[in-house]
Amino acid sequence: KNASVSTVVNSNVPIIAERSMYWTGAASPWGEGHNSFGVVEAGTRWGLAEGRDGGPLGFHSYILLANPQSTAANVTVTYYREGGPAVVRTYTVQPTSRFNIDTRDVEELRGDKFGAMIHVTNDVPIIVERSMYWDVGGLQFAAGTNATGIRLPDLPVVVDSPAEIRIVGFTGANSFTPNPAPIAAGRTIRW
């Protein structure tokens, strides 16, 4: 009760995993709930299409970051706002833990709709969810929804292909081609 947790489930046979959450409200004992499916693979880049803050229904969004690894994850979140320019924040998610971002703590998002791109900058794979709640009839958090993030492809590793320079003579400026050689500083040269 009153604790943020995440769970790693391992099995030697195929299984289906999901997370359901319920909270008190107008109906008894549970007024509302939401559900999301389990994630089969952690990643370093995630996308979330929807988040919202404020408005007539008092929307309240959270981004949930789970780090199942034994190393802290350095995370950059870029919030793409409907009503203005993108906002960037950085966070650290400790090893084998979960970190909840209350998007109300990002002042520029107040009263706005947004999506988010989550990028781990030190290559520690994490798992991402978004929970969103709103008020109805004066009842706080009367409704809610949850969605796992969309795992995006990891950024490609850029491999510097060596520049090819052919030797065509023994001395002078005409002894190699192309001449001049279009080589940037620090690039590999293959003769």
Side-chain angles (χ1 to χ4, degrees):
K1 189 175 184 178
N2 296 329
S4 298
V5 298
S6 60
T7 304
V8 176
V9 178
N10 295 305
S11 176
N12 62 352
V13 296
I15 62 169
I16 297 172
E18 62 182 354
R19 177 181 71 90
S20 295
M21 190 173 115
Y22 304 94
W23 58 95
T24 58
S28 184
W30 307 114
E32 182 60 284
H34 56 56
N35 178 278
S36 60
F37 54 87
V39 176
V40 296
E41 187 176 12
T44 59
R45 293 181 68 235
W46 294 84
L48 294 168
E50 179 187 32
R52 193 167 180 184
D53 181 76
L57 296 178
F59 282 92
H60 202 131
S61 299
Y62 298 88
I63 296 176
L64 318 171
L65 309 174
N67 179 2
Q69 314 304 326
S70 59
T71 303
N74 299 324
V75 179
T76 296
V77 179
T78 303
Y79 300 96
Y80 295 99
R81 299 171 47 213
E82 192 172 275
V87 176
V88 178
R89 293 289 188 273
T90 58
Y91 307 93
T92 299
V93 185
Q94 295 303 319
T96 61
S97 70
R98 184 173 124 167
F99 182 76
N100 295 340
I101 301 169
D102 182 344
T103 61
R104 284 207 171 153
D105 293 340
V106 182
E107 188 173 327
E108 296 91 336
L109 300 179
R110 291 191 186 147
D112 211 346
K113 299 173 188 171
F114 54 90
M117 181 80 86
I118 295 88
H119 179 219
V120 181
T121 59
N122 64 335
D123 295 323
V124 176
I126 64 170
I127 298 165
V128 176
E129 292 180 88
R130 186 268 306 139
S131 292
M132 187 166 60
Y133 305 95
W134 56 94
D135 306 340
V136 176
L139 182 61
Q140 186 178 22
F141 285 25
T145 182
N146 179 271
T148 54
I150 300 298
R151 187 170 181 266
L152 303 172
D154 294 330
L155 292 174
V157 176
V158 177
V159 177
D160 177 27
S161 60
E164 297 284 337
I165 298 181
R166 290 183 310 135
I167 299 173
V168 294
F170 293 104
T171 60
N174 294 325
S175 63
F176 62 94
T177 185
N179 185 5
I183 309 298
R187 198 153 168 225
T188 303
I189 299 173
R190 182 182 305 157
W191 292 91

